[in-house]
Amino acid sequence: MATIADGVHQSVRKTLWRTVQQTRFPLDRPIETLPLYVSSHAESLTAGDANGTGNDERAVVSGGVASMAAYFSAFPASYWHTWTSRRHVRLKITVNGACTVTVLRSDEHGDATRVLSKDAAQDSSFDEVLPLDAFQRGGWYWFEVAPQGPAVRIVNAEWQVQDDRGKQGTVTIVITTHDRPETCMGLLKSFGEVIRLGGRVEHIVVVDHGRRYPVADNPHFGDLDPEVVRRLRVVKQRNLGGAGGFGRGMYEAIREELSDYVVVMDDDVAVDPESFIRGLAFADFCREPTIVGAHMFEMNEPCVLSTFGEGIDRRDYMWDSVPGVVDSFDLSLHDLRRTPWLHRRFDVDYNAWWTCLIPVDVIKSIGLPLPVFIKWDDIEYGLRAGAHGIPTVSLPGFGVWHESWREKDAHNWQAYYLLRNRCIAALIHSPHRRGTGVVLTNLAFDIESLLCMRYSTAALRCQALIDLHREPADLLRESDGKLASLNSLRQGFLDASERAEDPDQISVEATPHRSDHTSPKSKIATLLRICALICRHAFTDRRHTVAPVLPAAMDEWRDIGHRDAVDIYFPNGDLVSRRRRSRSLFVSSLKGLLKEHARLWWNWPKLARMYRASASHLVSPDTQGAFLFDAKEPR
């Protein structure tokens, strides 16, 4: 049978090749993650040799077909076609046992085509060079193995690209942590495997903002792999938030010329070591310096993909998944072959810094993160890079696990930074003369907060709007003292979250089914209902005091706007927010917010000029080195 691969010139086969992706089966890990590695229709899939002994991350397939149409095993051909100059990929498979190996490819619509199919004998190898020319808008390669006898062992499977002895960049890993020594230690342990697999990790910089539990004093520090310890440095500094922590690590990397890349990582992620190396290899082959970001899976539901790519709506500067991406998508229920949208290539504005690779040349060119403590530092950095012609790629197959955002309380002190920093990013980057879209969406959120009785959130957001009018240089002076003042501001409100005394005794109501609110009639009805609720909160006093306990998913105006009292339970941290309706707080908060939003809209052109003029100074390594980073030697 003639195949696409048959047309590949023999001279291509004789060139040097470099492995950029290995197919691994971590069968010693929680079984829930297996659908991310194999979409199996085989009767069984186990680890070890053909006799069933051992446990070495290679697979024994018994009966049926084992398909690699899975997130970590398929090859993202369209991304390699678009962002690198490679035009062929080589698939090498070694098997132990007679089988049939079939290679398939897809297009941007998810339609699969068989490329070739070959029989492999006992202890034989499969070696084919495949073209990357037809993947302009999307598509993957993957292979399937069908045993011809009782079982076949997949000894090795590698995807390789032509290596012209070009760049093999080294990396400095930067982790920011704050009084979470155990989670940070767990992440550090995983880097031993990254190094063992060939990851060119030169340095690991942990920026420790903690005061109670220093990372370097952890009793398990001595359990780390010696290769990790040799590369590790712990930098103690005052709490400058994630932005200041990642900025410090970048500062150290460019000041001391530590490596070619910096990988910024949250301290509580779980890493697939081989996946980490893929991100590094992809960056090596990109045509130009490129920011390469990892996808995020949810820690408690390890096959749920949080998002496949994110962007910014330039009208209102709200972040969201790019059009076509399905959020919180469960890959244990839908494999690659049955999910057409996963076959499209999605171009993004930024990649969140749960794990993100940034070339050192990019840092030298565009500077450090804005000193905004937390929130929007990663988004603004991606927008800044894009304005300088530097692309960001969220690379399929490069993934980490992180705690879900859905059950966290984002209405606490973080609300201040979410609003202020979003406005700063818009003031610097928005092409619009006035931020009408930003102001209107902010006001809509504030009204929802008040209808949900989040009076402390409203107070924090009002303070954020006030602080936007301060000199941008004040960002260099506030550091962790600002956080203390925000927490002090919140304490005067009943709705400030507090830890539940006995979480096991909390009875939480079920989340109701939600109807569609997108039709024109539904939108009019929604607007009328909001107006009625505003009147109720503004002109009537509280009548009921019984407070049912509702899950965090119901913390929306539709579910609690009509209530006088409610408790919201956040499982992440076992927190309870006690909401009690107050007419006086509603009215005074609404007046303050309307005043500050009007002020922001009126002063937008002046503020935009002010922040744009200060931006290069704020992100300069020299500036941040002088104002933020002390000269203490790392341990």
Side-chain angles (χ1 to χ4, degrees):
M1 178 181 72
T3 68
I4 295 174
D6 291 336
V8 178
H9 197 275
Q10 287 298 316
S11 62
V12 174
R13 297 177 181 270
K14 296 178 181 179
T15 60
L16 295 173
W17 296 85
R18 175 176 158 192
T19 299
V20 295
Q21 177 173 321
Q22 294 188 60
T23 302
R24 298 169 63 84
F25 306 95
L27 301 178
D28 56 341
R29 297 180 188 172
I31 193 65
E32 292 84 359
T33 64
L34 193 55
L36 299 178
Y37 296 87
V38 59
S39 172
S40 178
H41 304 288
E43 294 175 6
S44 68
L45 186 72
T46 57
D49 58 27
N51 297 317
T53 62
N55 189 22
D56 64 354
E57 295 189 322
R58 302 302 178 217
V60 176
V61 183
S62 303
V65 177
S67 172
M68 302 303 125
Y71 176 85
F72 281 119
S73 294
F75 184 78
S78 64
Y79 287 78
W80 279 87
H81 168 86
T82 301
W83 300 109
T84 78
S85 58
R86 306 301 95 171
R87 285 297 168 260
H88 299 89
V89 61
R90 182 184 192 182
L91 174 60
K92 293 184 68 176
I93 306 172
T94 303
V95 296
N96 185 346
C99 65
T100 299
V101 177
T102 303
V103 177
L104 300 99
R105 52 152 294 186
S106 64
D107 59 18
E108 68 269 24
H109 305 295
D111 296 328
T113 303
R114 189 172 71 170
V115 177
L116 58 90
S117 185
K118 289 188 175 182
D119 292 336
Q122 181 80 17
D123 297 324
S124 63
S125 296
F126 175 96
D127 188 344
E128 289 293 335
V129 177
L130 308 166
L132 290 173
D133 296 329
F135 294 93
Q136 289 86 351
R137 296 183 180 179
W140 303 67
Y141 274 125
W142 67 89
F143 66 92
E144 298 178 344
V145 176
Q148 295 177 355
V152 60
R153 181 178 183 231
I154 303 173
V155 178
N156 191 48
E158 297 179 349
W159 298 90
Q160 302 177 341
V161 297
Q162 291 167 273
D163 187 359
D164 50 9
R165 298 187 185 276
K167 182 176 183 178
Q168 293 199 25
T170 57
V171 62
T172 295
I173 297 172
V174 176
I175 304 165
T176 300
T177 188
H178 183 270
D179 285 334
R180 294 201 290 191
E182 295 305 322
T183 56
C184 185
M185 198 60 59
L187 178 58
L188 290 174
K189 289 179 179 178
S190 67
F191 294 140
E193 179 70 2
V194 172
I195 296 168
R196 187 183 69 79
L197 289 174
R200 296 178 301 281
V201 178
E202 290 293 310
H203 300 275
I204 303 170
V205 178
V206 176
V207 182
D208 189 358
H209 290 154
R211 295 179 178 177
R212 294 178 296 168
Y213 310 110
V215 171
D217 294 340
N218 191 294
H220 300 294
F221 207 83
D223 298 336
L224 292 175
D225 188 303
E227 290 299 313
V228 172
V229 174
R230 185 172 67 83
R231 293 164 169 82
L232 181 62
R233 59 171 72 182
V234 179
V235 178
K236 283 287 293 180
Q237 70 176 19
R238 59 198 171 100
N239 186 8
L240 300 175
F246 291 137
R248 178 63 182 271
M250 294 180 187
Y251 175 77
E252 298 290 337
I254 62 174
R255 184 181 66 166
E256 300 185 31
E257 300 286 347
L258 297 181
S259 60
D260 300 296
Y261 304 117
V262 170
V263 174
V264 293
M265 305 182 73
D266 283 343
D267 63 352
D268 57 348
V269 298
V271 178
D272 178 290
E274 206 284 322
S275 164
F276 184 95
I277 295 172
R278 295 178 192 179
L280 179 58
F282 182 82
D284 281 346
F285 285 100
C286 285
R287 293 192 191 91
E288 55 189 335
T290 301
I291 297 173
V292 182
H295 290 136
M296 176 193 134
F297 291 89
E298 299 189 1
M299 193 76 76
N300 293 332
E301 298 179 86
C303 287
V304 173
L305 178 63
S306 178
T307 181
F308 202 64
E310 295 179 306
I312 295 295
D313 188 329
R314 297 309 198 275
R315 296 166 298 179
D316 59 13
Y317 262 70
M318 285 295 292
W319 62 269
D320 201 354
S321 292
V322 295
V325 167
V326 180
D327 290 340
S328 301
F329 192 77
D330 193 342
L331 290 173
S332 68
L333 303 178
H334 312 276
D335 65 16
L336 200 59
R337 294 199 67 164
R338 294 180 292 173
T339 312
W341 69 265
L342 276 175
H343 295 257
R344 288 177 52 191
R345 191 195 79 243
F346 291 99
D347 298 334
V348 301
D349 289 325
Y350 69 95
N351 196 98
W353 284 357
W354 41 67
T355 296
C356 190
L357 179 149
I358 306 172
V360 165
D361 288 343
V362 170
I363 301 172
K364 291 178 179 179
S365 173
I366 70 173
L368 304 179
L370 274 173
V372 292
F373 200 73
I374 65 165
K375 306 299 181 184
W376 276 80
D377 48 334
D378 47 5
I379 300 176
E380 191 281 329
Y381 203 87
L383 294 173
R384 195 193 325 160
H388 284 77
I390 299 165
T392 297
V393 177
S394 294
L395 179 65
F398 180 22
V400 298
W401 289 267
H402 190 282
E403 288 183 349
S404 171
W405 309 111
R406 291 181 290 171
E407 295 181 337
K408 287 187 174 183
D409 182 8
H411 306 301
N412 55 16
W413 56 269
Q414 299 175 72
Y416 170 91
Y417 293 105
L418 281 166
L419 174 57
R420 188 199 65 176
N421 298 348
R422 172 178 164 234
C423 289
I424 290 175
L427 287 165
I428 294 173
H429 297 287
S430 175
H432 303 296
R433 182 174 179 271
R434 289 194 182 274
T436 303
V438 177
V439 171
L440 290 177
T441 52
N442 281 342
L443 185 58
F445 182 87
D446 289 330
I447 290 173
E448 180 190 22
S449 289
L450 292 174
L451 293 179
C452 292
M453 299 166 279
R454 303 187 210 115
Y455 304 119
S456 67
T457 303
L460 289 167
R461 288 172 62 85
C462 191
Q463 186 62 49
L465 293 171
I466 293 171
D467 288 350
L468 278 171
H469 294 79
R470 296 168 58 186
E471 287 294 323
D474 286 349
L475 293 171
L476 295 166
R477 292 188 282 269
E478 64 180 28
S479 68
D480 51 349
K482 186 65 177 181
L483 179 57
S485 69
L486 296 178
N487 280 322
S488 177
L489 175 62
R490 292 187 72 231
Q491 294 312 309
F493 295 90
L494 183 64
D495 62 284
S497 298
E498 59 186 37
R499 191 167 298 279
E501 294 181 0
D502 192 354
D504 294 335
Q505 298 301 315
I506 294 179
S507 177
V508 183
E509 292 188 8
T511 304
H513 173 73
R514 302 190 187 281
S515 58
D516 178 40
H517 298 279
T518 58
S519 67
K521 289 184 178 180
S522 179
K523 289 181 178 179
I524 294 173
T526 296
L527 183 60
L528 291 174
R529 186 181 174 196
I530 290 173
C531 291
L533 287 173
I534 291 173
C535 291
R536 177 176 182 272
H537 281 251
F539 299 114
T540 65
D541 292 319
R542 186 173 75 230
R543 299 175 183 175
H544 307 287
T545 58
V546 176
V549 181
L550 303 181
M554 293 180 67
D555 188 11
E556 297 184 6
W557 68 268
R558 291 186 181 91
D559 296 313
I560 65 177
H562 62 287
R563 299 177 184 266
D564 285 342
V566 66
D567 291 345
I568 302 295
Y569 176 61
F570 297 92
N572 195 313
D574 287 325
L575 301 176
V576 174
S577 175
R578 308 189 188 284
R579 315 283 176 80
R580 304 295 182 267
R581 188 165 70 85
S582 168
R583 183 167 66 89
S584 61
L585 278 176
F586 181 89
V587 172
S588 62
S589 298
L590 184 58
K591 285 181 179 178
L593 286 164
L594 287 172
K595 173 187 172 183
E596 291 304 326
H597 281 301
R599 183 183 172 211
L600 173 61
W601 182 86
W602 182 258
N603 291 328
W604 188 278
K606 183 179 81 171
L607 291 172
R609 289 192 298 271
M610 184 172 69
Y611 277 97
R612 289 171 187 172
S614 301
S616 60
H617 174 69
L618 292 174
V619 303
S620 164
D622 291 337
T623 300
Q624 294 196 20
F627 282 88
L628 298 179
F629 308 140
D630 55 44
K632 291 180 180 179
E633 288 297 319
R635 291 181 61 177

